[in-house]
Amino acid sequence: MTSKTRRRPAGQVSGENIVIEAAWMYYNDGLNQNEIANRLQVSRATVVNYLQEARERGYIRISLSPEAFTSHNLAQKLRDRFGLQAAFLLPEGIGTAEETLLRVARGAADWLPHLLGSGDRLGVAWGRTVYEVAEAVERTQLSDVTVTQLVGSMATPYGFTAEICSANMAQNLGAKCINLHAPAVLSDPELATRLRAEPIIHAQLEALSHCNKAIFAAGSIAPDSHIVGSGVASSEDLEWYIRHGAAGVLCGRFIDAQGRFIPGDLDARMIGVELDKLLGLDMGLLVSVGADKVGPMLAAIAGGYVTHVVTSVETARGMLDKA
Amino acid sequence: MTSKTRRRPAGQVSGENIVIEAAWMYYNDGLNQNEIANRLQVSRATVVNYLQEARERGYIRISLSPEAFTSHNLAQKLRDRFGLQAAFLLPEGIGTAEETLLRVARGAADWLPHLLGSGDRLGVAWGRTVYEVAEAVERTQLSDVTVTQLVGSMATPYGFTAEICSANMAQNLGAKCINLHAPAVLSDPELATRLRAEPIIHAQLEALSHCNKAIFAAGSIAPDSHIVGSGVASSEDLEWYIRHGAAGVLCGRFIDAQGRFIPGDLDARMIGVELDKLLGLDMGLLVSVGADKVGPMLAAIAGGYVTHVVTSVETARGMLDKA
DNA sequence: ACAATATGCTGACATTTGTCAAAAACTGTG
DNA sequence: CACAGTTTTTGACAAATGTCAGCATATTGT
């Protein structure tokens, strides 16, 4: 450069502005970095820095359009076969089960904001999958959306509890959050009854019964299921429910293959949404993946809790095969 | 490659799927094209093709976040000075006035979907700027939004008429559209009265008076203004209004520098929204740019029609200077 | 069955983008 | 005003991405 180099004044408007300017030229006007460098009278390397800064500050948002995942063949089949409003299928790739779960969670996270609108009250269940979805939601600012914790908390060795799921979800969506300040399961039914009558808890339970949308995963009934690992149910409980026809778990409650609620010993001691409150919602978003979840997912769908599904292509195939 | 090359079956699910898979790996998993090529067992050049296809099909959406443009210094000044809810300022760059207009229009188009929600009824005015905004809106699918044409049609030599503005807008937003099937201005007041009483027209006028949001530009009162060019007003009309204090044009009506409606000969012959219907809306989105628009924009703001502004940095400076 | 046509893939090369250490410009201090 | 400490910019190099002609495999028509 012939003349003296001019630096952008730190912390000034124009300083921020030039970053936006560069980002706009690059992403909207389609100029390449050389052209931008010429116009802004800086070196190309500087343009690279500006663009990086723009990305770091979150000015640039790249997303895969939901249509790509809801429109293809298998998704339509799934929709038609199970009477869903929409299905969102993620490709597996070569990755491990863990990677696939994260991918599905990110897919759900991308999709979720499109499914919410002003005035919605979203019930959030609990589980590893739901936790990852909450984490993966891009920071947005939805207007007038409330997030509600659907089931009480539990001491989990996994590090994700029900209130963390709902709190993160609300945080990232820019929504209000109503937590449920009670354990998911108590040792004594009478204590549970009294706790439910407590004004604070009562108000929270009241709030969650007015959700119009919900997001949840299908819980498996394998012996290593989280429902046991998190201490909600004991191994004996689980066996008892399996003997009585359990096919899956939904918001801490056991359901059979037709999706019917299986009443049992636990219910009187639990604090959380009752399954019939999840029927007839504007949206029931089921997010789950894996061969072991096929049965539980089909059960949840059969029970009429589900309007939208996010899962992997592989799992979707499994569902169509088994049904 | 050692083995025979395998081609993806044309027109099949997996064919579409592999494109999505590649796009996902690239944009979400952050893999580079080489890594993707290895995993998919194709050449890197093929991955390039997949990604291009994904972009062409609109699977990938890149946008600049509105926060970047509404949060900076000058935007805040504008907001505070004029009591706006938000201002969205686009950098000029080096481009021509034409380029700047397109840039501002694209900015407004990016922002607009964020400002609309379920149940909204958006009134759409007319003009070059509004037309470009409508064109630039990315195809989306808003639920339960209605777009309404605010002013009647006119024979314009420019190729953008009021109904094209509203129709394109509705199309691209995925909204319902209510057009106004009448000319903007008639030769005879009596005919205008009768036309307004026609059931179809009456219903449409009724509909547009129930908008809760609106998008419009400020019209200049220069002799080469579109209001003359499109035949809505004659040069004599324009001069008359200027003598009576006109500072700008809003939805075909003349206003003075304080934003007060200037009644005149034209009004009885016009078919379109009346200015008082635009007061007190949830949103009045003013999109305009250029030195000649500063006066009209200030007039519109003074009149209380405006809650949100999209313009260029330069124009914003002009507004602050002049006010 | 065979040629003609269409489609998708690839390797080699061209262009664009990213990295990094060093230089330049600014800031605050004695 | 010299200085040490930061921040920003830059040039040279490395890596990633885009292009395109030609080839291989399907599909179509006869």
Side-chain angles (χ1 to χ4, degrees), chain A residues 285-297:
Chain A
L285 177 58
L286 172 63
V287 187
S288 281
V289 64
D292 57 323
K293 296 292 180 61
V294 169
M297 290 175 78

Side-chain angles (χ1 to χ4, degrees), chain B residues 1 8 18-19 22 26 32-56:
Chain B
M1 189 172 291
R8 66 180 159 125
I18 201 165
V19 171
Y26 193 74
N32 66 31
Q33 298 180 353
N34 264 315
E35 295 173 297
I36 296 171
N38 289 337
R39 297 208 189 186
L40 296 181
Q41 297 286 316
V42 296
S43 75
R44 196 186 55 74
T46 302
V47 174
V48 174
N49 290 335
Y50 289 167
L51 292 176
Q52 252 167 10
E53 190 168 341
R55 280 187 285 259
E56 273 160 24

